[in-house]
């Protein structure tokens, strides 16, 4: 079974730790004591396509102006295919925007590689090994994308 058909962390030690840690992260990131965690983590909320239910999960992110980038190996990104309204609590501020899953392999690979080179935090966030040149290892990046790693772009509404 691929990571696309099964959540990537289900049944793993890291998955168990995150399942226990995520409620605490949601509470911290929604509270006035969000700093310093909110420099790297935010709360992402979206509405499920099928259920119509509102979901919120902590995510790590990279900010570039009015755009935020996330990467995930889990399946929630499917709600953002083609674009969908989202809400993020970033650095203590609630922001509205549009989330889009980058499903094109070449576009995702190019953007992953650029973010990997330009943002040290993204190197840890992506879970993709580094190449000697300082960028992402091309073979490891290709394997990650083919096994279900997806890049998500959030464009915030103008303030």
């Amino acid at each position: 079974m691929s990571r696309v058909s099964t959540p990537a962390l289900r049944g793993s030690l890291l998955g168990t730790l995150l399942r226990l840690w995520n409620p605490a992260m949601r509470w911290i990131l929604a509270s006035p004591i969000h700093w310093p965690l909110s420099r790297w983590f935010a709360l992402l909320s979206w509405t499920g396509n099928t259920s119509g239910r509102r979901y919120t999960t902590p995510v790590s992110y990279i900010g570039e102006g009015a755009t935020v980038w996330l990467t995930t190996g889990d399946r929630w990104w499917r709600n953002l295919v083609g674009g969908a309204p989202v809400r993020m609590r970033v650095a203590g501020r609630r922001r509205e925007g549009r989330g889009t899953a980058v499903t094109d392999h070449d576009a995702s690979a190019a953007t992953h590689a650029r973010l990997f080179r330009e943002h040290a935090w993204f190197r840890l966030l992506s879970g993709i090994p580094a190449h000697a040149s300082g960028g992402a290892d091309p073979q490891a990046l290709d394997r990650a994308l083919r096994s279900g790693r997806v890049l998500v772009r959030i464009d915030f509404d103008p303030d």
Side-chain angles (χ1 to χ4, degrees):
M1 229 181 236
S2 75
R3 286 182 70 181
V4 174
S5 61
T6 303
L9 299 174
R10 183 167 287 153
S12 71
L13 177 60
L14 181 56
T16 301
L17 291 173
L18 288 175
R19 200 169 39 260
L20 296 172
W21 180 243
N22 279 349
M25 282 293 284
R26 277 194 290 275
W27 183 84
I28 291 168
L29 292 171
S31 78
I33 59 168
H34 59 84
W35 192 90
L37 290 175
S38 62
R39 291 179 59 195
W40 303 288
F41 300 97
L43 292 175
L44 176 66
S45 301
W46 71 94
T47 302
N49 289 337
T50 305
S51 68
R53 185 176 158 210
R54 191 82 169 158
Y55 295 93
T56 301
T57 190
V59 294
S60 37
Y61 70 95
I62 297 297
E64 292 184 324
T67 300
V68 166
W69 296 97
L70 321 169
T71 186
T72 184
D74 288 327
R75 297 183 339 190
W76 58 260
W77 61 267
R78 293 177 179 193
N79 292 288
L80 306 181
V81 171
V86 297
R87 178 180 294 153
M88 281 188 82
R89 186 167 176 93
V90 180
R93 288 185 56 214
R94 185 177 284 172
R95 310 263 327 252
E96 304 285 333
R98 184 157 190 84
T100 306
V102 181
T103 56
D104 178 73
H105 183 275
D106 293 337
S108 181
T111 306
H112 263 97
R114 179 184 66 79
L115 292 170
F116 199 96
R117 281 190 314 274
E118 295 175 5
H119 301 279
W121 172 241
F122 193 77
R123 294 176 193 156
L124 295 173
L125 166 64
S126 70
I128 300 167
H131 188 267
S133 67
D137 178 273
Q139 288 79 27
L141 176 58
D142 186 60
R143 277 192 308 275
L145 296 178
R146 292 189 190 285
S147 69
R149 169 96 16 220
V150 174
L151 188 66
V152 175
R153 178 186 177 129
I154 310 288
D155 293 303
F156 291 124
D157 298 338
D159 290 330

